[in-house]
Amino acid sequence: MEQFTVDTALIRDTTANLTVIQSEFDAAEKHTASAADVIPHELLARTLQEFASGWDTRRSEFSEAITTLNGMGTAIADHFEGWESDQAAAAGGDGDEG
């Protein structure tokens, strides 16, 4: 019989990495605004600010999607770890079989 393996540590690491990415999306407007402040060329600075503000909605959508993925990843890892514990307990015959 083939063994089914789920690397829950990898799933949890991925959700942690997604949190970092989400932080960058959430902070992008601030970074762009400060970058635009130091650009001496007025048209280029204004163009950068307009681009950043135009992406506000999209960044927000990405951030919400990452929040959803983080929740799903955590739930998947929790579920498989719980299932594995239940299977180990059932195999050990400790009477905790549901």
Side-chain angles (χ1 to χ4, degrees):
M1 180 167 146
E2 291 186 37
Q3 184 175 359
F4 180 73
T5 304
V6 176
D7 188 347
T8 57
L10 179 61
I11 293 170
R12 291 187 191 284
D13 288 346
T14 301
T15 61
N17 290 334
L18 284 171
T19 299
V20 172
I21 293 168
Q22 182 179 25
S23 297
E24 290 302 315
F25 271 119
D26 293 343
E29 184 178 9
K30 295 174 203 158
H31 296 310
T32 305
S34 56
D37 290 341
V38 298
I39 295 175
H41 191 275
E42 184 180 329
L43 178 59
L44 182 57
R46 187 173 56 241
T47 301
L48 182 58
Q49 288 173 329
E50 289 172 1
F51 175 79
S53 65
W55 266 86
D56 285 348
T57 302
R58 194 68 176 139
R59 272 194 304 271
S60 176
E61 291 170 355
F62 277 129
S63 184
E64 289 174 20
I66 290 170
T67 298
T68 300
L69 286 172
N70 276 341
M72 293 168 78
T74 300
I76 289 168
D78 289 347
H79 178 77
F80 277 107
E81 287 170 355
W83 179 81
E84 183 179 42
S85 295
D86 292 347
Q87 294 303 307
D94 68 356
D96 187 23
E97 297 174 17

